[in-house]
Amino acid sequence: LERECTSKVDVLRSRYSAFSYRLIEYVMRSTHPTCRDYREDKVAWAKDLNKGGMFDSFEFVDLTIIDDDDENNEGGEDEDGEEKGYVTFKVTLRAREDKPMYATVAGQETVITEKSKFIKEKGVWKYASGEVQSDRLENVKLN
């Protein structure tokens, strides 16, 4: 995680590892400013990620890449003229404890499918948003 990622899939995999190992600084650094979670106040953002985010709630069990738009030319430029692209993946999470807000109990696995949007900024891909589907949550758009 010390070098910059050169592809969207590399960013996705490195962010998965960062969430898994609680590397908050990297999660923040690899987030595009247009992302809903992005905050100028990095200390408050880090606290939110550490306590209110997925770090304390779930163990990261598995990551599977389903689709990378490099294979089907779905990417392109966004409304601001920045290069954008999408990666669809599935992640399996295991609840660390009972969490009614996530409709999970300790040890229960949840599979989430997400189509993530990435934006290339100064030659570096960053996470911008995601459309999420879960076996426990209604379809929602995050970030």
Side-chain angles (χ1 to χ4, degrees):
L1 298 177
E2 292 300 316
R3 65 175 178 81
E4 296 297 339
C5 297
T6 58
S7 74
K8 300 177 300 295
V9 171
D10 286 346
V11 175
L12 177 65
R13 287 187 173 126
S14 67
R15 284 176 60 88
Y16 174 86
S17 295
F19 273 102
S20 183
Y21 290 104
R22 300 177 69 107
L23 303 174
I24 295 170
E25 209 173 286
Y26 181 79
V27 171
M28 293 188 303
R29 191 172 71 240
S30 62
T31 302
H32 193 269
T34 60
C35 181
R36 179 184 73 140
D37 291 341
Y38 185 89
R39 296 181 53 189
E40 289 295 326
D41 183 344
K42 303 294 189 256
V43 173
W45 187 10
K47 286 179 181 176
D48 285 348
L49 281 170
N50 197 34
K51 290 295 178 195
M54 293 171 40
F55 289 123
D56 289 338
S57 303
F58 295 99
E59 173 187 347
F60 291 73
V61 177
D62 185 51
L63 171 69
T64 303
I65 307 298
I66 297 170
D67 185 38
D68 176 2
D69 71 7
D70 286 344
E71 298 168 4
N72 60 24
N73 299 316
E74 186 182 355
E77 290 187 354
D78 68 5
E79 54 278 354
D80 295 325
E82 293 180 306
E83 189 175 352
K84 68 175 180 175
Y86 299 89
V87 177
T88 303
F89 66 96
K90 213 171 15 175
V91 64
T92 302
L93 306 171
R94 184 176 300 124
R96 295 185 189 275
E97 57 189 82
D98 295 352
K99 288 279 188 176
M101 70 185 287
Y102 295 121
T104 60
V105 295
Q108 184 176 43
E109 290 189 355
T110 299
V111 177
I112 295 173
T113 302
E114 179 174 337
K115 180 178 181 179
S116 293
K117 177 182 178 183
F118 294 87
I119 296 176
K120 198 170 197 177
E121 180 181 70
K122 298 178 184 169
V124 178
W125 287 104
K126 294 190 175 193
Y127 176 81
S129 66
E131 295 176 11
V132 178
Q133 296 178 338
S134 170
D135 58 354
R136 304 219 178 274
L137 303 171
E138 291 184 31
N139 294 347
V140 294
K141 183 169 183 170
L142 298 178
N143 306 323

PDB file of all heavy atoms in Angstrom, residues 99-123:
ATOM      1  N   LYS A  99     -25.658  -6.552  15.467  1.00  0.00           N
ATOM      2  CA  LYS A  99     -25.844  -5.163  15.037  1.00  0.00           C
ATOM      3  C   LYS A  99     -27.215  -5.033  14.387  1.00  0.00           C
ATOM      4  O   LYS A  99     -27.365  -5.288  13.194  1.00  0.00           O
ATOM      5  CB  LYS A  99     -24.770  -4.753  14.021  1.00  0.00           C
ATOM      6  CG  LYS A  99     -23.392  -4.559  14.586  1.00  0.00           C
ATOM      7  CD  LYS A  99     -23.290  -3.212  15.224  1.00  0.00           C
ATOM      8  CE  LYS A  99     -21.851  -2.954  15.603  1.00  0.00           C
ATOM      9  NZ  LYS A  99     -21.654  -1.641  16.151  1.00  0.00           N
ATOM     10  N   PRO A 100     -28.230  -4.648  15.149  1.00  0.00           N
ATOM     11  CA  PRO A 100     -29.571  -4.499  14.579  1.00  0.00           C
ATOM     12  C   PRO A 100     -29.607  -3.545  13.378  1.00  0.00           C
ATOM     13  O   PRO A 100     -30.340  -3.777  12.432  1.00  0.00           O
ATOM     14  CB  PRO A 100     -30.398  -3.952  15.744  1.00  0.00           C
ATOM     15  CG  PRO A 100     -29.660  -4.380  16.965  1.00  0.00           C
ATOM     16  CD  PRO A 100     -28.205  -4.389  16.587  1.00  0.00           C
ATOM     17  N   MET A 101     -28.771  -2.491  13.398  1.00  0.00           N
ATOM     18  CA  MET A 101     -28.781  -1.534  12.285  1.00  0.00           C
ATOM     19  C   MET A 101     -28.346  -2.178  10.971  1.00  0.00           C
ATOM     20  O   MET A 101     -28.698  -1.725   9.898  1.00  0.00           O
ATOM     21  CB  MET A 101     -27.928  -0.304  12.598  1.00  0.00           C
ATOM     22  CG  MET A 101     -26.435  -0.569  12.642  1.00  0.00           C
ATOM     23  SD  MET A 101     -25.449   0.852  13.159  1.00  0.00           S
ATOM     24  CE  MET A 101     -25.557   1.879  11.735  1.00  0.00           C
ATOM     25  N   TYR A 102     -27.544  -3.263  11.051  1.00  0.00           N
ATOM     26  CA  TYR A 102     -27.121  -3.993   9.859  1.00  0.00           C
ATOM     27  C   TYR A 102     -27.900  -5.290   9.686  1.00  0.00           C
ATOM     28  O   TYR A 102     -27.626  -6.065   8.779  1.00  0.00           O
ATOM     29  CB  TYR A 102     -25.620  -4.318   9.920  1.00  0.00           C
ATOM     30  CG  TYR A 102     -24.720  -3.114   9.890  1.00  0.00           C
ATOM     31  CD1 TYR A 102     -23.832  -2.870  10.932  1.00  0.00           C
ATOM     32  CD2 TYR A 102     -24.746  -2.221   8.830  1.00  0.00           C
ATOM     33  CE1 TYR A 102     -22.986  -1.775  10.920  1.00  0.00           C
ATOM     34  CE2 TYR A 102     -23.907  -1.124   8.804  1.00  0.00           C
ATOM     35  CZ  TYR A 102     -23.031  -0.902   9.857  1.00  0.00           C
ATOM     36  OH  TYR A 102     -22.206   0.182   9.826  1.00  0.00           O
ATOM     37  N   ALA A 103     -28.834  -5.559  10.570  1.00  0.00           N
ATOM     38  CA  ALA A 103     -29.636  -6.793  10.564  1.00  0.00           C
ATOM     39  C   ALA A 103     -28.744  -8.024  10.601  1.00  0.00           C
ATOM     40  O   ALA A 103     -28.968  -8.998   9.891  1.00  0.00           O
ATOM     41  CB  ALA A 103     -30.553  -6.820   9.342  1.00  0.00           C
ATOM     42  N   THR A 104     -27.700  -7.970  11.447  1.00  0.00           N
ATOM     43  CA  THR A 104     -26.775  -9.097  11.566  1.00  0.00           C
ATOM     44  C   THR A 104     -26.619  -9.514  13.024  1.00  0.00           C
ATOM     45  O   THR A 104     -26.857  -8.741  13.936  1.00  0.00           O
ATOM     46  CB  THR A 104     -25.374  -8.738  11.018  1.00  0.00           C
ATOM     47  OG1 THR A 104     -24.845  -7.638  11.762  1.00  0.00           O
ATOM     48  CG2 THR A 104     -25.428  -8.403   9.543  1.00  0.00           C
ATOM     49  N   VAL A 105     -26.193 -10.768  13.195  1.00  0.00           N
ATOM     50  CA  VAL A 105     -25.826 -11.282  14.508  1.00  0.00           C
ATOM     51  C   VAL A 105     -24.374 -11.744  14.427  1.00  0.00           C
ATOM     52  O   VAL A 105     -23.874 -12.064  13.343  1.00  0.00           O
ATOM     53  CB  VAL A 105     -26.744 -12.439  14.971  1.00  0.00           C
ATOM     54  CG1 VAL A 105     -28.169 -11.953  15.172  1.00  0.00           C
ATOM     55  CG2 VAL A 105     -26.717 -13.583  13.982  1.00  0.00           C
ATOM     56  N   ALA A 106     -23.714 -11.785  15.558  1.00  0.00           N
ATOM     57  CA  ALA A 106     -22.302 -12.159  15.601  1.00  0.00           C
ATOM     58  C   ALA A 106     -22.056 -13.475  14.857  1.00  0.00           C
ATOM     59  O   ALA A 106     -22.791 -14.435  15.022  1.00  0.00           O
ATOM     60  CB  ALA A 106     -21.843 -12.278  17.046  1.00  0.00           C
ATOM     61  N   GLY A 107     -21.034 -13.474  14.001  1.00  0.00           N
ATOM     62  CA  GLY A 107     -20.663 -14.665  13.250  1.00  0.00           C
ATOM     63  C   GLY A 107     -21.401 -14.839  11.935  1.00  0.00           C
ATOM     64  O   GLY A 107     -21.011 -15.645  11.095  1.00  0.00           O
ATOM     65  N   GLN A 108     -22.458 -14.085  11.738  1.00  0.00           N
ATOM     66  CA  GLN A 108     -23.260 -14.208  10.516  1.00  0.00           C
ATOM     67  C   GLN A 108     -22.537 -13.528   9.346  1.00  0.00           C
ATOM     68  O   GLN A 108     -21.992 -12.437   9.490  1.00  0.00           O
ATOM     69  CB  GLN A 108     -24.610 -13.545  10.739  1.00  0.00           C
ATOM     70  CG  GLN A 108     -25.572 -13.670   9.586  1.00  0.00           C
ATOM     71  CD  GLN A 108     -26.908 -13.048   9.961  1.00  0.00           C
ATOM     72  OE1 GLN A 108     -26.956 -11.971  10.549  1.00  0.00           O
ATOM     73  NE2 GLN A 108     -27.975 -13.733   9.628  1.00  0.00           N
ATOM     74  N   GLU A 109     -22.542 -14.185   8.187  1.00  0.00           N
ATOM     75  CA  GLU A 109     -21.905 -13.615   7.004  1.00  0.00           C
ATOM     76  C   GLU A 109     -22.928 -12.888   6.144  1.00  0.00           C
ATOM     77  O   GLU A 109     -24.073 -13.312   6.022  1.00  0.00           O
ATOM     78  CB  GLU A 109     -21.194 -14.700   6.193  1.00  0.00           C
ATOM     79  CG  GLU A 109     -19.968 -15.223   6.907  1.00  0.00           C
ATOM     80  CD  GLU A 109     -19.118 -16.139   6.060  1.00  0.00           C
ATOM     81  OE1 GLU A 109     -19.500 -16.480   4.917  1.00  0.00           O
ATOM     82  OE2 GLU A 109     -18.042 -16.532   6.563  1.00  0.00           O
ATOM     83  N   THR A 110     -22.482 -11.794   5.578  1.00  0.00           N
ATOM     84  CA  THR A 110     -23.278 -10.982   4.669  1.00  0.00           C
ATOM     85  C   THR A 110     -22.488 -10.825   3.379  1.00  0.00           C
ATOM     86  O   THR A 110     -21.294 -10.537   3.416  1.00  0.00           O
ATOM     87  CB  THR A 110     -23.549  -9.588   5.275  1.00  0.00           C
ATOM     88  OG1 THR A 110     -24.272  -9.741   6.486  1.00  0.00           O
ATOM     89  CG2 THR A 110     -24.327  -8.708   4.323  1.00  0.00           C
ATOM     90  N   VAL A 111     -23.148 -11.031   2.251  1.00  0.00           N
ATOM     91  CA  VAL A 111     -22.505 -10.849   0.950  1.00  0.00           C
ATOM     92  C   VAL A 111     -23.030  -9.548   0.350  1.00  0.00           C
ATOM     93  O   VAL A 111     -24.239  -9.341   0.246  1.00  0.00           O
ATOM     94  CB  VAL A 111     -22.778 -12.031   0.007  1.00  0.00           C
ATOM     95  CG1 VAL A 111     -22.157 -11.783  -1.361  1.00  0.00           C
ATOM     96  CG2 VAL A 111     -22.245 -13.326   0.618  1.00  0.00           C
ATOM     97  N   ILE A 112     -22.106  -8.692  -0.031  1.00  0.00           N
ATOM     98  CA  ILE A 112     -22.450  -7.405  -0.636  1.00  0.00           C
ATOM     99  C   ILE A 112     -21.872  -7.376  -2.035  1.00  0.00           C
ATOM    100  O   ILE A 112     -20.712  -7.733  -2.244  1.00  0.00           O
ATOM    101  CB  ILE A 112     -21.876  -6.245   0.199  1.00  0.00           C
ATOM    102  CG1 ILE A 112     -22.542  -6.211   1.563  1.00  0.00           C
ATOM    103  CG2 ILE A 112     -22.039  -4.919  -0.533  1.00  0.00           C
ATOM    104  CD1 ILE A 112     -21.935  -5.226   2.531  1.00  0.00           C
ATOM    105  N   THR A 113     -22.691  -6.977  -2.992  1.00  0.00           N
ATOM    106  CA  THR A 113     -22.224  -6.752  -4.359  1.00  0.00           C
ATOM    107  C   THR A 113     -22.245  -5.251  -4.587  1.00  0.00           C
ATOM    108  O   THR A 113     -23.215  -4.576  -4.243  1.00  0.00           O
ATOM    109  CB  THR A 113     -23.144  -7.451  -5.379  1.00  0.00           C
ATOM    110  OG1 THR A 113     -23.177  -8.849  -5.068  1.00  0.00           O
ATOM    111  CG2 THR A 113     -22.635  -7.266  -6.797  1.00  0.00           C
ATOM    112  N   GLU A 114     -21.158  -4.730  -5.122  1.00  0.00           N
ATOM    113  CA  GLU A 114     -21.066  -3.294  -5.350  1.00  0.00           C
ATOM    114  C   GLU A 114     -20.493  -3.012  -6.726  1.00  0.00           C
ATOM    115  O   GLU A 114     -19.565  -3.673  -7.169  1.00  0.00           O
ATOM    116  CB  GLU A 114     -20.176  -2.629  -4.298  1.00  0.00           C
ATOM    117  CG  GLU A 114     -20.020  -1.137  -4.513  1.00  0.00           C
ATOM    118  CD  GLU A 114     -19.267  -0.434  -3.395  1.00  0.00           C
ATOM    119  OE1 GLU A 114     -19.224  -0.940  -2.263  1.00  0.00           O
ATOM    120  OE2 GLU A 114     -18.720   0.639  -3.669  1.00  0.00           O
ATOM    121  N   LYS A 115     -21.087  -2.022  -7.389  1.00  0.00           N
ATOM    122  CA  LYS A 115     -20.513  -1.475  -8.611  1.00  0.00           C
ATOM    123  C   LYS A 115     -19.903  -0.141  -8.202  1.00  0.00           C
ATOM    124  O   LYS A 115     -20.615   0.826  -7.933  1.00  0.00           O
ATOM    125  CB  LYS A 115     -21.573  -1.270  -9.693  1.00  0.00           C
ATOM    126  CG  LYS A 115     -20.999  -0.710 -10.985  1.00  0.00           C
ATOM    127  CD  LYS A 115     -22.065  -0.573 -12.053  1.00  0.00           C
ATOM    128  CE  LYS A 115     -21.475  -0.029 -13.344  1.00  0.00           C
ATOM    129  NZ  LYS A 115     -22.514   0.087 -14.373  1.00  0.00           N
ATOM    130  N   SER A 116     -18.566  -0.116  -8.104  1.00  0.00           N
ATOM    131  CA  SER A 116     -17.851   1.061  -7.639  1.00  0.00           C
ATOM    132  C   SER A 116     -17.444   1.951  -8.805  1.00  0.00           C
ATOM    133  O   SER A 116     -17.006   1.465  -9.846  1.00  0.00           O
ATOM    134  CB  SER A 116     -16.578   0.662  -6.889  1.00  0.00           C
ATOM    135  OG  SER A 116     -16.885   0.005  -5.700  1.00  0.00           O
ATOM    136  N   LYS A 117     -17.586   3.245  -8.587  1.00  0.00           N
ATOM    137  CA  LYS A 117     -17.126   4.245  -9.556  1.00  0.00           C
ATOM    138  C   LYS A 117     -15.782   4.768  -9.082  1.00  0.00           C
ATOM    139  O   LYS A 117     -15.606   5.104  -7.907  1.00  0.00           O
ATOM    140  CB  LYS A 117     -18.125   5.399  -9.655  1.00  0.00           C
ATOM    141  CG  LYS A 117     -17.679   6.508 -10.593  1.00  0.00           C
ATOM    142  CD  LYS A 117     -18.698   7.642 -10.615  1.00  0.00           C
ATOM    143  CE  LYS A 117     -18.239   8.778 -11.504  1.00  0.00           C
ATOM    144  NZ  LYS A 117     -19.214   9.896 -11.456  1.00  0.00           N
ATOM    145  N   PHE A 118     -14.839   4.835 -10.004  1.00  0.00           N
ATOM    146  CA  PHE A 118     -13.514   5.377  -9.733  1.00  0.00           C
ATOM    147  C   PHE A 118     -13.266   6.555 -10.665  1.00  0.00           C
ATOM    148  O   PHE A 118     -13.721   6.556 -11.817  1.00  0.00           O
ATOM    149  CB  PHE A 118     -12.434   4.312  -9.948  1.00  0.00           C
ATOM    150  CG  PHE A 118     -12.521   3.184  -8.961  1.00  0.00           C
ATOM    151  CD1 PHE A 118     -13.334   2.093  -9.207  1.00  0.00           C
ATOM    152  CD2 PHE A 118     -11.815   3.226  -7.778  1.00  0.00           C
ATOM    153  CE1 PHE A 118     -13.445   1.061  -8.300  1.00  0.00           C
ATOM    154  CE2 PHE A 118     -11.916   2.189  -6.855  1.00  0.00           C
ATOM    155  CZ  PHE A 118     -12.724   1.108  -7.117  1.00  0.00           C
ATOM    156  N   ILE A 119     -12.561   7.556 -10.165  1.00  0.00           N
ATOM    157  CA  ILE A 119     -12.190   8.725 -10.971  1.00  0.00           C
ATOM    158  C   ILE A 119     -10.675   8.852 -10.921  1.00  0.00           C
ATOM    159  O   ILE A 119     -10.064   8.733  -9.854  1.00  0.00           O
ATOM    160  CB  ILE A 119     -12.864  10.008 -10.442  1.00  0.00           C
ATOM    161  CG1 ILE A 119     -14.386   9.895 -10.581  1.00  0.00           C
ATOM    162  CG2 ILE A 119     -12.345  11.235 -11.192  1.00  0.00           C
ATOM    163  CD1 ILE A 119     -15.156  11.072 -10.008  1.00  0.00           C
ATOM    164  N   LYS A 120     -10.097   9.100 -12.096  1.00  0.00           N
ATOM    165  CA  LYS A 120      -8.647   9.248 -12.188  1.00  0.00           C
ATOM    166  C   LYS A 120      -8.297  10.714 -11.971  1.00  0.00           C
ATOM    167  O   LYS A 120      -8.742  11.594 -12.699  1.00  0.00           O
ATOM    168  CB  LYS A 120      -8.150   8.771 -13.550  1.00  0.00           C
ATOM    169  CG  LYS A 120      -6.683   8.476 -13.603  1.00  0.00           C
ATOM    170  CD  LYS A 120      -6.342   7.791 -14.912  1.00  0.00           C
ATOM    171  CE  LYS A 120      -5.007   7.113 -14.838  1.00  0.00           C
ATOM    172  NZ  LYS A 120      -4.727   6.395 -16.095  1.00  0.00           N
ATOM    173  N   GLU A 121      -7.498  10.954 -10.933  1.00  0.00           N
ATOM    174  CA  GLU A 121      -7.116  12.313 -10.561  1.00  0.00           C
ATOM    175  C   GLU A 121      -5.594  12.403 -10.561  1.00  0.00           C
ATOM    176  O   GLU A 121      -4.927  11.694  -9.813  1.00  0.00           O
ATOM    177  CB  GLU A 121      -7.681  12.621  -9.170  1.00  0.00           C
ATOM    178  CG  GLU A 121      -7.370  13.995  -8.656  1.00  0.00           C
ATOM    179  CD  GLU A 121      -7.950  14.207  -7.279  1.00  0.00           C
ATOM    180  OE1 GLU A 121      -7.441  13.591  -6.318  1.00  0.00           O
ATOM    181  OE2 GLU A 121      -8.914  14.977  -7.174  1.00  0.00           O
ATOM    182  N   LYS A 122      -5.060  13.253 -11.441  1.00  0.00           N
ATOM    183  CA  LYS A 122      -3.600  13.423 -11.540  1.00  0.00           C
ATOM    184  C   LYS A 122      -2.903  12.088 -11.758  1.00  0.00           C
ATOM    185  O   LYS A 122      -1.895  11.788 -11.141  1.00  0.00           O
ATOM    186  CB  LYS A 122      -3.052  14.137 -10.314  1.00  0.00           C
ATOM    187  CG  LYS A 122      -3.602  15.540 -10.143  1.00  0.00           C
ATOM    188  CD  LYS A 122      -3.075  16.183  -8.900  1.00  0.00           C
ATOM    189  CE  LYS A 122      -3.736  17.550  -8.737  1.00  0.00           C
ATOM    190  NZ  LYS A 122      -3.498  18.155  -7.442  1.00  0.00           N
ATOM    191  N   GLY A 123      -3.501  11.254 -12.620  1.00  0.00           N
ATOM    192  CA  GLY A 123      -2.910   9.969 -12.972  1.00  0.00           C
ATOM    193  C   GLY A 123      -3.155   8.848 -11.978  1.00  0.00           C
ATOM    194  O   GLY A 123      -2.660   7.740 -12.170  1.00  0.00           O
TER     195      GLY A 123
END
